Structures are given as C-alpha cells and as structure tokens.
C-alpha cells in the first residue's frame, strides 16, 4: 500500500517533465519534416541568378551533383521582354526597379536569352567572383534577405550550404567571351556595344544544361503556337531542347486559346518532361491525346504571349 502511494506521488511529480520532453520531441520531429519540405529543391536543375555587375548565373544539377557558373558583364545587351527592346542587363534591372508595371522584366528576359528557367534572383551591387556569388546566398550575407521570385528562403539557404561545400572539380564554367558569345557592334554614333548571341551561347554550352532524367525519356514534342506572337513557338522549343527533349516540329494554329495545354497519354502525365513543361509554362493537362505523331503536344496560349512579348 505504501509502495503504491510512493509510486503514485513520483508519477505525479514527473508527469509535467515527461509531458514537456514528449512535446519537445514531437515539436522537433514536426519541425524537421516542415523544414525538409520547404527547403527541398526541385527535381533536376535549379538555376538562380545573382544580379550584380557582372551578372552571375548559378545552375545546380541535382542529378549529376554539379554546379555550373555563367558570368555575363552587366553592359552586355539582350532582348528584353514586355516590348522593352534590346538593353544592357543592368538597364533591364534598373528599369524593373523604376517601373512597377514591369515586374519580372529582368528574370524573364535573362531566362529567354539563356533558354533556361530561372527559379530566383538575388540582388547584389558589387562585382563578385564565384565564391562571392555563392556567399550572397548565405543568411549571414548583407543581401541575404533580398530574394525575389521562386524558391523559398530555406531552399535558398539549402543551396548555399550545398554550394559552399562543393569540391572545385564539380564546378564548371565557360568563358563566354572567348567563345564569341558577346558580339561587338558599333552604333550610329560610333560607340561600341556588346550584344548577347543566343546561337553562339547554345554552341558554347552544348548539353551542359540538360536534365539527364528528361534526356533519357527521349520524348518527341510538338509545339503549337495559337497566338499571333511571332517566334513564341521557336523560343519555347529552345528551352525544351535545352532541357533534353526532342522537338519534332513547331507549328501555328489559327484557333486561339487563353492558356497553355499539354496533350499526352495518361501513362506519360507524370514524366519528367511533362512536369517540366507544366512548371515552366503553367500548362494544364488536357484529356485530349493530341497529335499521334509525337509523344507530347504543347499548345501555347495568350497567357504565354503576354509574359513573353519581344520588341512589340
């Protein structure tokens, strides 16, 4: 009887402490699950940009576990979307800051020039080498919280942690100047400018920015432009080919539609290629199989043209 009373008192005395311990364990466990969820990176390739002068593109290949570093001087001109014409990278960045109606101008223009979706941009005014660009992603960096578009902050810090521990032999870069990607041109007033050459960039990069999982699928894709925006289908084709798909044809259709749609067999709906197309262009799956000559049919609509207008 006495022993039972002692056991009861001890249980009552330690119950609050036990409750705290169990609650803490559960809280930590849930915290780990939540962190891993929001800090998880997209499958395949993740590309972000440190927008300074020069502009540094960091492209992480999660399959090959390699980091690509592409550096472009801020005075190099690219074709701007939203009808802005050909402007230097730093001017596109400044124009977006000054004009609230041109949100996404810099990231969409650069993404189009590279032919690669860009998940996020961090602004850094100073000239940076590769080590400095990686350091800009750190939560301890002065620019650590100036993050725009795409990935969550935990995912960005996850990238920083990966990058800072990489061996030099898994980091590649291409000297775009030596590859002739920056074309020298004289203006009417005699001043010289440098213009980004998309074709030479594609030659210089080759398959370095491909996704292995997409390339292995070898899906044949038909792109149908249902809008009046000339060149839209060709630019989308360049992105899909860069990712590793085989673009069989680019066609136009006089039957306009508002959004983008993907037409595939049911067993291909979860393929890496289809998921990439949906994520990049906001396409919805259609119950219609599409063109039987190919594996995937992509129909581009007015929403795509609105986001990607060139020189209009």
């Amino acid at each position: 009887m006495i022993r039972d009373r002692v056991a009861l008192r001890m249980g009552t005395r330690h119950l609050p402490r036990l409750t705290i311990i169990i609650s803490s364990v559960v809280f930590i466990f849930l915290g780990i699950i939540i962190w891993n969820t929001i800090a998880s990176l997209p499958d395949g390739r993740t590309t972000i940009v440190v927008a300074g002068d020069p502009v540094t593109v960091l492209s992480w290949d999660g399959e090959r576990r390699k980091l690509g570093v592409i550096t472009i001087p801020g005075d190099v001109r690219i074709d701007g979307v939203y009808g802005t014409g050909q402007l230097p990278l730093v001017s596109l960045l400044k124009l977006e800051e000054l004009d609230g109606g041109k949100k996404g101008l810099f990231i969409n223009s650069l993404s189009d020039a590279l032919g690669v979706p860009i998940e996020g941009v961090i602004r850094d005014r100073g000239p940076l080498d590769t080590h400095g660009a990686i350091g800009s992603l750190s939560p301890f960096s002065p620019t650590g919280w100036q993050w725009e578009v795409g990935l969550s902050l935990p995912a960005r810090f996850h990238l920083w942690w990966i990058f800072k521990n990489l061996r030099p032999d898994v980091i590649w870069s291409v000297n775009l100047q030596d590859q002739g990607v920056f074309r020298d041109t004289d203006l009417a007033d005699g001043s010289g400018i440098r213009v980004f050459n998309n074709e030479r960039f594609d030659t210089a990069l080759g398959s370095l920015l491909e996704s292995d999982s997409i390339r292995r699928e070898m899906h044949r894709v038909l792109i149908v432009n249902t809008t009046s925006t000339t060149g839209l289908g060709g630019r989308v084709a360049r992105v899909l080919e860069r990712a590793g798909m085989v673009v069989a044809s680019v066609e136009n259709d006089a039957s306009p539609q508002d959004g983008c749609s993907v037409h595939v067999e049911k067993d291909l709906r979860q393929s890496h290629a289809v998921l990439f197309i949906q994520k990049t262009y906001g396409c919805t799956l259609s119950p219609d199989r599409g063109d039987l000559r190919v594996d995937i049919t992509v129909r581009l609509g007015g929403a795509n043209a609105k986001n990607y207008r060139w020189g209009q």
Side-chain angles (χ1 to χ4, degrees):
M1 188 71 170
I2 296 176
R3 187 176 299 173
D4 292 341
R5 290 177 181 173
V6 171
L8 180 61
R9 285 199 301 271
M10 291 184 64
T12 304
R13 182 188 308 167
H14 293 289
L15 182 60
R17 184 180 302 173
L18 184 61
T19 302
I20 292 174
I21 293 173
I22 294 175
S23 299
S24 299
V25 171
V26 171
F27 179 79
I28 293 172
F29 179 73
L30 291 176
I32 292 173
I33 293 176
I34 294 172
W35 174 266
N36 287 337
T37 300
I38 62 178
S40 62
L41 301 176
D43 292 335
R45 182 168 299 280
T46 303
T47 302
I48 60 175
V49 174
V50 180
D53 187 6
V55 172
T56 304
V57 181
L58 303 173
S59 189
W60 170 244
D61 187 340
E63 296 175 281
R64 302 178 190 175
R65 306 296 293 179
K66 289 186 177 182
L67 173 64
V69 181
I70 301 170
T71 303
I72 307 174
D75 68 316
V76 171
R77 298 186 175 219
I78 64 174
D79 291 330
V81 298
Y82 308 153
T84 54
Q86 195 177 81
L87 291 172
L89 285 169
V90 291
S91 298
L92 289 169
L93 194 62
K94 189 65 176 179
L95 181 58
E96 181 179 343
E97 293 176 351
L98 296 175
D99 188 344
K102 288 184 167 56
K103 185 174 178 58
L105 170 64
F106 176 79
I107 191 172
N108 287 332
S109 300
L110 183 57
S111 177
D112 179 63
L114 301 178
V116 178
I118 296 174
E119 276 76 30
V121 176
I122 185 169
R123 296 173 185 261
D124 197 313
R125 299 299 182 187
L128 300 171
D129 56 11
T130 299
H131 179 75
I134 292 174
S136 294
L137 303 177
S138 166
F140 310 109
S141 166
T143 59
W145 299 91
Q146 297 178 31
W147 180 248
E148 302 174 14
V149 188
L151 298 176
S152 64
L153 280 172
R156 201 193 89 198
F157 298 155
H158 185 190
L159 280 178
W160 165 72
W161 183 260
I162 293 174
F163 293 171
K164 81 182 193 70
N165 293 298
L166 289 178
R167 303 188 316 272
D169 62 303
V170 297
I171 301 176
W172 61 262
S173 62
V174 177
N175 190 320
L176 300 184
Q177 180 66 47
D178 290 348
Q179 297 289 334
V181 176
F182 309 140
R183 187 180 72 250
D184 294 321
T185 303
D186 292 329
L187 297 177
D189 61 3
S191 60
I193 61 172
R194 291 191 290 179
V195 179
F196 190 89
N197 188 305
N198 291 4
E199 293 182 359
R200 291 193 177 183
F201 175 76
D202 292 345
T203 301
L205 268 291
S207 62
L208 287 174
L209 293 177
E210 275 188 351
S211 167
D212 283 348
S213 58
I214 292 177
R215 177 178 50 79
R216 284 193 298 266
E217 292 175 338
M218 291 295 291
H219 290 321
R220 289 169 52 82
V221 182
L222 167 65
I223 299 173
V224 181
N225 180 12
T226 72
T227 77
S228 60
T229 302
T230 304
L232 177 62
R235 290 177 184 259
V236 171
R238 180 169 174 251
V239 174
L240 301 190
E241 288 178 334
R242 165 86 73 235
M245 298 177 218
V246 179
V247 176
S249 180
V250 178
E251 301 176 359
N252 295 310
D253 190 335
S255 304
Q257 61 185 56
D258 293 332
C260 173
S261 59
V262 181
H263 306 254
V264 293
E265 294 280 7
K266 288 184 178 180
D267 58 350
L268 294 184
R269 291 185 176 182
Q270 292 301 311
S271 66
H272 295 284
V274 170
L275 294 177
F276 176 88
I277 294 169
Q278 285 185 282
K279 177 186 175 185
T280 304
Y281 296 107
C283 304
T284 58
L285 287 171
S286 171
D288 177 21
R289 163 63 178 84
D291 198 305
L292 297 178
R293 297 173 298 171
V294 294
D295 303 303
I296 303 170
T297 300
V298 181
R299 293 180 60 86
L300 304 171
N304 304 110
K306 180 180 179 181
N307 290 334
Y308 298 94
R309 298 194 306 270
W310 301 274
Q312 297 178 355

